[in-house]
Amino acid sequence: MGDGVLVYFGWPQADEADPERAVRAALATLEEVGKAASAGERLVARIGIASGLAVVGDLLGAGAAQEQAVIGETPNLAARLQSLADPGCAVIDAQTRRRIGGLFECRELGEFHLKGLSGALCAWQVLGEALVESRFAAMHAASLSPLVGRDDELELLLRRWQQAMDGEGQVVLISGEPGIGKSRLIAALEERVTGEAHLRLKYFCSPHHRDSALQPVIARWQNDAGFVRSESADARLDKLEAVLLPLGATREEVTLIAELLGVPGGERYPPLELTSERKKEQTFGALNRILDERARRSAVLILFEDAHWADPSSLELLDRLIMRLAFLPVMVIISFRPEFHAPWVGQASVSLMALSRLGPRQATTLASQVVVGQALPAGMLERIVAQTDGVPLFIEELTKAVLERARQPDSAGSALSVPSTLQASLMARLDRLPVAKQVAQIGAVLGREFSNELLAAVAGIPEAALTQGLDELVSAGLAFRRGTPPERIYSFKHALVQDAAYGSLLRSTRQKLHSRIAKALEERWPDVVETQPELLAHHFTQAGSIEHAADYWQRAGERAFRRSAAAEATGHLAKSIELWRTLPEDRAQAVRELHLQTMLGQGCIARHGYAASETAAAFARARDLVESLGDVPQQFPVLYGFWAVQYVRMAVREQQNLARHILALAEQHPDPERLCVAHRICGATNEMTGELPAAREHLEQAIALYDPERHGSTAFTFGQDLGVAVLSHLVWVLWLLGYPDQASRRQAEALALARRVGHKNTLGFALMYSAMAGGYGHNAGVAAEHSASLLELAREQKFDLWRAGATVVKGWATARQGHGAVGTAAIERGLAEWTGSGAEWMRPFFLSLLADACALSGDVLRALGELDEAIAAVERTGQRWPDAELHRLRGQFLTALPDCGRPGEASAAFQSAIQIARRQSAKSWELRAATSLARLWRDEGKHADACNLLVPVYAWFTEGFETPDLKEAKAMLDTLK
């Protein structure tokens, strides 16, 4: 390089001491250059040192000027630092300064803005070597270090295990940062209980499968059954039977588990004709029953590791297991990183164990015990302890790196440096095993765990070299292996080992490997293509094969959707949409995206709720696509979904426009299902705006069109079964119009149909409407019964919106039953959750329940404040159906104010309520308001006026004489005679 020299430390082979070697070389060079000057002359050099990543390419130049092309910011930074250096000085960057620690004396030069580099950069001048203790050679490493510093934690695990064996199910949650020793602690427990009769079930989660429903469970069952690739479906069924039948499994359970594992049942176990939701429920039930049987025979130790990478369905299954664990001889240990929110904390028989870092003494002990035969020098141990900050994995790996460096032929007398990071340590170990490094890099692209067979299929290296590399990885303690060829499986000892190997590959190389892996899976592993499309999607995505990746994400989303795994479905579908939208637009792509957005919208409803921004965005985009494409099969589900978003958000004008548009479209294509949907939408919209006769007409037309046989699948298309939804709306409308007995019968029909349909969200819908009917009907017992059932369902199924609504109604019923403070607190909690979801639907009514509870507790002023907010919400949103009752309640509370109340304002409020009710034909509201006004007039001595007001309203009714409102009106009339 002309009058300059460019020196690389870390290429072609990394060394943990590269920064130190670079600084030492710089100081030695400066000294030797000064000595080389002729008498009377001064010869000096300037040196810049930078640490970081760089890409080393082809040879450039020829002869003595030949050099390797280096691309990246690091060599540019080194050149800029060299220009800052004074003659005879060496200047280093911040990363080099951190990695050399206290080995050298340095002087901070401050911050600089260097040409071609962004931001201010700090620089230091190296003054010379610091006084530190010398380092000595180390011994070979042990395969597994002893457990250090975890005696208390292990003792707790053993106590909980004894409790579990005595029939008291236990859960232990182990939280800790990566490398803190979670797996090592679990392994120690396994060693201690080896001699005790028990069944051990281990489940491992992987970052590559966090969107693969039940993948840890599937892998566990496949391993238990002893599946091998290329065997027939019948052979796998034989193996499943050998495992399941001795446990008393039914034919249905074998069928469900075979399907879960992707094994075709054929004629032996034909598919069950179940909805996806019911199939999921029965599969979960089968898995839990089989576990019960296993637990009946012996104690069970369940190890669920790395839950932070678990898919939502596995967590749901785990949640159900924990809820029913109390009287089983089962202990569940769940390990996870701190960022994972464990929902079981605080539950009975659940212990949380947060692993802390080791103290200096414990860290020193661990580092010493990693070494076999001799101890490391005290100075080296101190450096390891200081740089690893008490993380056991870092201590173990760094110590091994030091020991391996000592075994190199040129290590005698050379200075050994402890790597400043685990990344550097692992790469140094890999670089010293060139064959193993190549194999590790390919394996890292495959994932944390990989099979010998798949690795051989994509590696493109001779079998002998592949075997040598794998053996080196195992011998070096970087990987584990289990099984026998060709089914042998390898796994990286830690995720950080995989990360280090993966990060050392060039992007272009990674892309080629991902592409090779995906194509090999397509060609040779059809079972993986069928059961794990998300795995191929991941590899095609990383390979940059957009169309293939988008297609496989779509397949994965559709598969998850069919299995009611909403969280996985939405994740896969969103990735597919994102990739498809990077390609040129045409009609076929628009149709495809419409299909995906429609499924995504339904998945978001289940996962986030109707009013969630994710749901709204999916259906808004789907609606735009429908409008651009014209009449397509997805048109009605899309329009319904978009209407549902506006309905729960209470965007009334948008609702009304959509309702008219949807009805017009349905009448153009007189299909019974479309017409049923359209009339349901129109009826529900009219109901909210207080247009009750029109609402009844639409809803009764919808009921006439509904056919349970033909429309049984509508729950999966529209979120709830059409018949149940229509009946639930009709309950409200009939009650408001003054037909409480008919409403009660329709309510019973809705609940019965919801239970027959077997769709959880449909049942939640029916229970929510039934609970609220108890609220507006002033029947606290009915409200309490249905809200309690809904709360149980919502907690089990994680229906956040239904849980919030049920909490409100249950709180009101509690207040009505004499527990005002408890009830009010529950209403406040539920209302906050409801509003937080973005839902405006029902909020004015819920505020009226809160106001009623406050008044029952004697806080009338607050009750009036809540009503003012409710009335303002009615005016803002246009949901008029509770308007009359809000004004009536305001009048009632005004009469209850101190100092004889405010009867004039109360009378006006009651009269407003009556006028609103008459405009809406809401006879039930009118009767209640007339009774309240009649009571006020009676107390003022206006008996005749009161009687003239109430008699015709009461006389209108032909049913419901046993309901609270009609009984109260009759009692009032009796006092007026």
Side-chain angles (χ1 to χ4, degrees):
M1 297 183 63
D3 62 351
V5 176
L6 179 62
V7 181
Y8 310 127
F9 292 85
W11 182 87
Q13 179 174 311
D15 188 284
E16 59 267 28
D18 280 330
E20 177 191 349
R21 291 170 60 214
V23 174
R24 289 188 185 281
L27 293 175
T29 300
L30 293 174
E31 182 180 356
E32 292 302 318
V33 168
K35 292 178 180 178
S38 303
E41 294 182 346
R42 182 172 179 259
L43 187 62
V44 294
R46 297 185 297 178
I47 298 175
I49 302 173
S51 297
L53 296 176
V55 177
V56 182
D58 298 330
L59 287 171
L60 300 175
Q66 191 178 64
E67 61 177 293
Q68 210 86 23
V70 181
I71 303 169
E73 188 175 275
T74 305
N76 185 30
L77 174 57
R80 299 301 176 193
L81 291 171
Q82 187 261 351
S83 67
L84 289 178
D86 291 331
C89 295
V91 174
I92 62 175
D93 71 333
Q95 186 169 346
T96 306
R97 177 69 186 89
R98 285 193 299 270
R99 294 182 66 179
I100 63 174
L103 291 174
F104 300 90
E105 298 287 348
C106 299
R107 179 171 66 88
E108 186 172 355
L109 300 177
E111 293 186 346
F112 296 89
H113 291 273
L114 302 176
K115 183 179 179 181
L117 300 168
S118 60
L121 300 172
C122 293
W124 284 261
Q125 178 185 342
V126 181
L127 301 177
E129 197 171 349
L131 292 175
V132 295
E133 296 183 20
S134 62
R135 306 181 186 96
F136 299 93
M139 302 292 292
H140 63 279
S143 59
L144 181 64
S145 61
L147 188 69
V148 173
R150 303 296 186 205
D151 294 343
D152 292 342
E153 291 87 348
L154 181 57
E155 184 60 33
L156 175 61
L157 288 177
L158 289 168
R159 289 201 305 271
R160 294 293 181 263
W161 173 240
Q162 187 58 55
Q163 289 176 270
M165 293 186 72
D166 292 339
E168 300 176 18
Q170 297 292 315
V171 179
V172 179
L173 310 176
I174 302 179
S175 173
E177 61 184 292
I180 201 66
K182 301 183 292 293
S183 298
R184 183 66 187 89
L185 177 61
I186 291 171
L189 174 68
E190 292 179 78
E191 293 168 4
R192 290 288 294 272
V193 302
T194 299
E196 301 174 10
H198 70 283
L199 172 66
R200 183 174 62 211
L201 299 174
K202 301 181 73 170
Y203 300 89
F204 296 94
C205 304
S206 161
H208 290 318
H209 291 101
R210 65 178 68 192
D211 292 324
S212 301
L214 296 176
Q215 181 58 32
V217 179
I218 292 169
R220 173 77 261 164
W221 275 99
Q222 289 174 337
N223 185 68
D224 286 350
F227 288 177
V228 295
R229 200 179 70 81
S230 77
E231 65 184 352
S232 67
D234 280 338
R236 292 192 169 187
L237 288 174
D238 290 342
K239 291 180 177 181
L240 267 184
E241 288 176 342
V243 174
L244 293 172
L245 296 184
L247 295 171
T250 64
R251 286 186 57 81
E252 290 77 12
E253 289 172 337
V254 176
T255 302
L256 289 166
I257 293 176
E259 183 173 342
L260 175 68
L261 304 185
V263 180
E267 295 181 358
R268 291 169 64 180
Y269 294 97
L272 300 178
E273 295 297 323
L274 298 172
T275 64
S276 60
E277 182 71 27
R278 181 161 290 182
K279 185 176 294 182
K280 173 185 173 183
E281 290 298 315
Q282 292 195 11
T283 301
F284 278 19
L287 292 170
N288 282 328
R289 193 208 63 76
I290 290 168
L291 177 61
D292 287 354
E293 179 60 24
R294 285 173 155 173
R296 190 182 65 81
R297 301 181 183 194
S298 70
V300 181
L301 176 61
I302 296 177
L303 308 174
F304 196 89
E305 296 201 49
D306 293 326
H308 49 276
W309 287 324
D311 62 276
S313 294
S314 293
L315 290 177
E316 181 181 348
L317 180 61
L318 192 60
D319 189 51
R320 296 192 188 192
L321 167 63
I322 291 171
M323 291 175 64
R324 53 197 296 280
L325 202 62
F327 302 104
L328 293 174
V330 176
M331 178 172 171
V332 180
I333 298 178
I334 306 169
S335 69
F336 49 87
R337 293 180 180 177
E339 63 265 25
F340 175 73
H341 172 69
W344 313 285
V345 175
Q347 295 185 21
S349 301
V350 175
S351 304
L352 174 62
M353 182 187 298
L355 297 186
S356 59
R357 296 183 179 187
L358 301 180
R361 182 175 298 176
Q362 295 167 330
T364 301
T365 300
L366 176 58
S368 298
Q369 292 182 347
V370 169
V371 183
V372 176
Q374 71 177 59
L376 286 172
M380 183 66 71
L381 280 174
E382 289 170 2
R383 292 188 61 81
I384 291 174
V385 170
Q387 290 182 260
T388 54
D389 201 22
V391 178
L393 177 68
F394 292 5
I395 297 167
E396 181 180 348
E397 294 301 326
L398 291 173
T399 305
K400 287 181 178 178
V402 172
L403 294 174
E404 290 182 10
R405 178 67 182 86
R407 288 198 296 268
Q408 296 302 310
D410 60 347
S411 64
S414 66
L416 293 177
S417 173
V418 178
S420 62
T421 66
L422 186 63
Q423 172 83 10
S425 168
L426 294 173
M427 285 313 303
R429 294 178 66 192
L430 286 172
D431 278 346
R432 285 191 290 275
L433 304 169
V435 179
K437 178 182 178 180
Q438 184 182 6
V439 172
Q441 289 172 323
I442 301 168
V445 179
L446 287 167
R448 172 78 182 276
E449 186 174 273
F450 52 90
S451 70
N452 196 133
E453 191 175 11
L454 179 56
L455 179 67
V458 301
I461 59 179
E463 183 178 353
L466 184 65
T467 301
Q468 177 188 344
L470 290 169
D471 289 343
E472 287 179 354
L473 284 176
V474 174
S475 299
L478 294 171
F480 298 117
R481 66 181 162 204
R482 67 176 189 273
T484 56
E487 304 296 329
R488 177 167 285 170
I489 301 296
Y490 290 84
S491 57
F492 287 103
K493 184 175 182 181
H494 196 281
L496 297 176
V497 178
Q498 178 198 354
D499 293 343
Y502 187 83
S504 67
L505 288 167
L506 294 178
R507 182 179 178 182
S508 59
T509 305
R510 289 201 301 262
Q511 286 185 321
K512 290 175 183 176
L513 283 170
H514 279 296
S515 178
R516 204 184 301 167
I517 292 165
K519 290 174 182 176
L521 289 172
E522 276 189 320
E523 294 168 4
R524 298 178 54 178
W525 279 270
D527 55 328
V528 175
V529 174
E530 178 64 28
T531 61
Q532 297 182 56
E534 65 275 7
L535 186 58
L536 282 90
H538 162 74
H539 286 298
F540 275 125
T541 301
Q542 296 303 315
S545 300
I546 302 302
E547 290 193 38
H548 285 91
D551 179 60
Y552 275 105
W553 284 125
Q554 178 175 337
R555 294 193 207 181
E558 291 168 343
R559 185 170 186 271
F561 193 80
R562 291 192 300 270
R563 300 171 70 184
S564 293
E568 294 91 344
T570 54
H572 298 331
L573 294 169
K575 290 174 183 175
S576 181
I577 291 168
E578 181 182 358
L579 290 173
W580 282 123
R581 294 184 73 175
T582 63
L583 300 174
E585 296 183 6
D586 56 26
R587 181 176 177 82
Q589 183 178 328
V591 171
R592 183 187 296 110
E593 185 185 348
L594 175 58
H595 168 66
L596 292 169
Q597 292 284 5
T598 305
M599 276 200 299
L600 178 61
Q602 291 297 335
C604 287
I605 286 174
R607 185 177 184 188
H608 304 295
Y610 289 95
S613 58
E614 296 91 342
T615 308
F619 280 118
R621 174 59 181 166
R623 186 189 182 196
D624 291 343
L625 290 166
V626 163
E627 290 177 352
S628 66
L629 290 168
D631 185 23
V632 290
Q634 294 95 339
Q635 186 175 32
F636 260 63
V638 167
L639 292 176
Y640 167 80
F642 193 71
W643 169 84
V645 171
Q646 310 310 316
Y647 182 81
V648 176
R649 289 183 168 184
M650 272 297 115
V652 169
R653 182 172 297 178
E654 288 83 351
Q655 283 181 59
Q656 292 171 326
N657 291 337
L658 278 166
R660 287 191 290 268
H661 177 58
I662 291 168
L663 180 59
L665 285 175
E667 289 173 342
Q668 292 173 16
H669 306 277
D671 170 76
E673 182 177 305
R674 288 187 168 196
L675 285 168
C676 184
V677 172
H679 284 296
R680 178 262 169 109
I681 288 172
C682 290
T685 300
N686 291 146
E687 171 196 358
M688 283 295 106
T689 56
E691 301 167 90
L692 301 177
R696 181 182 183 181
E697 181 180 350
H698 282 298
L699 293 171
E700 289 184 340
Q701 287 186 66
I703 281 294
L705 289 162
Y706 175 75
D707 181 347
E709 298 299 323
R710 293 181 59 189
H711 302 148
S713 64
T714 54
F716 297 96
T717 308
F718 300 103
Q720 309 96 26
D721 177 81
L722 276 178
V724 173
V726 173
L727 285 168
S728 298
H729 286 295
L730 194 54
V731 169
W732 282 21
V733 172
L734 288 170
W735 187 91
L736 290 167
L737 287 171
Y739 304 103
D741 289 347
Q742 293 182 51
S744 181
R745 289 193 293 272
R746 288 300 197 182
Q747 180 180 319
E749 287 180 48
L751 285 169
L753 179 57
R755 291 189 170 98
R756 286 199 304 274
V757 168
H759 182 252
K760 298 296 185 182
N761 194 49
T762 294
L763 179 57
F765 188 92
L767 286 170
M768 185 74 251
Y769 272 68
S770 297
M772 290 190 288
Y776 58 69
H778 279 186
N779 192 326
V782 169
E785 176 189 353
H786 292 310
S787 59
S789 297
L790 180 56
L791 272 174
E792 183 179 356
L793 175 70
R795 286 168 181 160
E796 176 187 321
Q797 299 295 322
K798 297 180 174 59
F799 292 154
D800 293 343
L801 192 67
W802 295 150
R803 185 189 67 237
T807 302
V808 171
V809 179
K810 184 76 162 52
W812 172 82
T814 301
R816 275 270 165 175
Q817 292 166 344
H819 306 284
V822 174
T824 300
I827 297 172
E828 291 171 338
R829 187 169 61 252
L831 187 56
E833 292 178 4
W834 185 273
T835 305
S837 74
E840 283 286 345
W841 169 60
M842 295 306 302
R843 187 166 172 272
F845 175 63
F846 286 163
L847 285 167
S848 77
L849 297 184
L850 177 57
D852 192 35
C854 291
L856 288 169
S857 299
D859 193 349
V860 180
L861 286 176
R862 183 184 174 190
L864 285 167
E866 300 296 348
L867 277 180
D868 288 342
E869 185 179 348
I871 292 170
V874 166
E875 294 300 323
R876 186 181 69 254
T877 63
Q879 50 180 317
R880 297 282 177 185
W881 74 274
D883 202 8
E885 175 66 355
L886 298 178
H887 284 82
R888 185 199 71 81
L889 283 170
R890 190 169 190 279
Q892 177 181 314
F893 299 155
L894 286 168
T895 65
L897 287 171
D899 301 323
C900 301
R902 298 201 287 239
E905 292 181 46
S907 177
F910 290 142
Q911 291 183 64
S912 293
I914 292 170
Q915 292 169 5
I916 294 168
R918 287 174 178 170
R919 284 199 302 270
Q920 294 181 357
S921 300
K923 284 294 182 180
S924 291
W925 287 155
E926 183 184 354
L927 176 68
R928 194 176 286 175
T931 302
S932 295
L933 183 55
R935 181 182 297 107
L936 176 63
W937 282 351
R938 180 202 64 185
D939 294 343
E940 293 176 342
K942 302 175 183 178
H943 283 235
D945 290 341
C947 195
N948 292 335
L949 170 68
L950 188 54
V951 166
V953 180
Y954 182 81
W956 180 91
F957 281 83
T958 59
E959 61 179 69
F961 295 105
E962 296 303 314
T963 61
D965 287 327
L966 281 151
K967 283 183 176 182
E968 186 178 352
K970 178 66 168 58
M972 177 58 61
L973 285 172
D974 290 343
T975 68
L976 295 172
K977 291 180 181 177

